[in-house]
Amino acid sequence: MARMKFLCDAERCIECNACVTACKNENEVPWGVNRRRVVTINDGKPGERSISVACMHCSDAPCMAVCPVDCFYQTDDGVVLHSKDLCIGCGYCFYACPFGAPQFPQAGNFGSRGKMDKCTFCAGGPEKTGSSAEFQKYGRNRLAEGKLPLCAEMCSTKALLAGDGNVVSNIYRERVVARGFGSGAWGWGKAYPGKAG
């Protein structure tokens, strides 16, 4: 069985935020919640890189481990989803997640912030597939339609890859081999192959 994964190629990401906009529009995410965000490292300095970050659908997800009501579950494809009907809004998952994926829909005091929301890998939720209840709570179920998450499909530079983890890693491996890496990526030997020395 395929294990669904995201991977963002920092060498290709141009910080256009198309992935963020696509996610918000496709799933009608409430204002103030970003299931996906673009993070820039070393902003304005040499070596600046941007990456698109969301729930990484971990194999051993810390959000699942700390949830006191077990509202998180993993599908056969490895997608980590949650039930908003079971969620009590305690925020443990928010603090456990290294990517900051689970978010409250609104700011405020404890108990008034609502149920957690997170990236679903466009796989819907526990409601009947394709139902209006599923769309209203979790967004569109593109995986059931045989499609990939819209954030990855809308990436203009194809920096954001999504799908079967083995296929995604093979694509990335081919890219790294083609462009080189480390000190071998650029330099005299690449610019002038016959004059390396």
Side-chain angles (χ1 to χ4, degrees):
M1 172 95 1
R3 240 193 115 63
M4 298 300 179
K5 291 292 179 187
F6 280 122
L7 188 141
C8 185
D9 186 346
E11 298 292 327
R12 285 185 170 215
C13 182
I14 58 172
E15 198 181 353
C16 68
N17 282 288
C19 53
V20 176
T21 305
C23 177
K24 285 189 86 65
N25 287 342
E26 180 72 4
N27 298 305
E28 296 181 11
V29 178
W31 186 86
V33 173
N34 285 320
R35 291 182 177 176
R36 177 165 291 285
R37 65 193 182 286
V38 176
V39 177
T40 302
I41 302 162
N42 294 329
D43 196 9
K45 298 176 185 166
E48 175 183 316
R49 295 285 186 273
S50 296
I51 54 170
S52 181
V53 180
C55 176
M56 299 304 281
H57 303 280
C58 305
S59 302
D60 189 17
C63 57
M64 289 176 65
V66 300
C67 182
V69 293
D70 292 329
C71 75
F72 288 91
Y73 63 98
Q74 205 162 34
T75 66
D76 292 338
D77 291 334
V79 178
V80 176
L81 298 174
H82 73 297
S83 170
K84 288 188 179 180
D85 294 332
L86 293 175
C87 178
I88 59 173
C90 67
Y92 287 4
C93 55
F94 173 76
Y95 294 109
C97 178
F99 304 104
Q103 297 177 20
F104 286 108
Q106 58 205 25
N109 296 331
F110 178 77
S112 67
R113 297 175 286 191
K115 316 256 180 170
M116 295 305 256
D117 190 80
K118 67 176 271 314
C119 165
T120 63
F121 206 88
C122 288
E127 273 75 14
K128 184 176 181 253
T129 300
S131 68
S132 62
E134 180 186 49
F135 179 78
Q136 190 173 21
K137 289 182 186 177
Y138 306 100
R140 189 159 157 215
N141 190 340
R142 291 176 57 86
L143 285 188
E145 298 170 8
K147 299 175 182 176
L148 290 175
L150 192 63
C151 57
E153 286 193 8
M154 293 302 291
C155 183
S156 60
T157 61
K158 299 302 175 210
L160 183 60
L161 302 172
D164 179 359
N166 293 328
V167 174
V168 167
S169 65
N170 285 337
I171 291 169
Y172 186 69
R173 186 177 299 110
E174 288 174 14
R175 286 181 183 180
V176 170
V177 168
R179 73 174 168 234
F181 54 92
S183 61
W186 312 106
W188 191 266
K190 286 283 183 190
Y192 306 100
K195 305 209 181 219

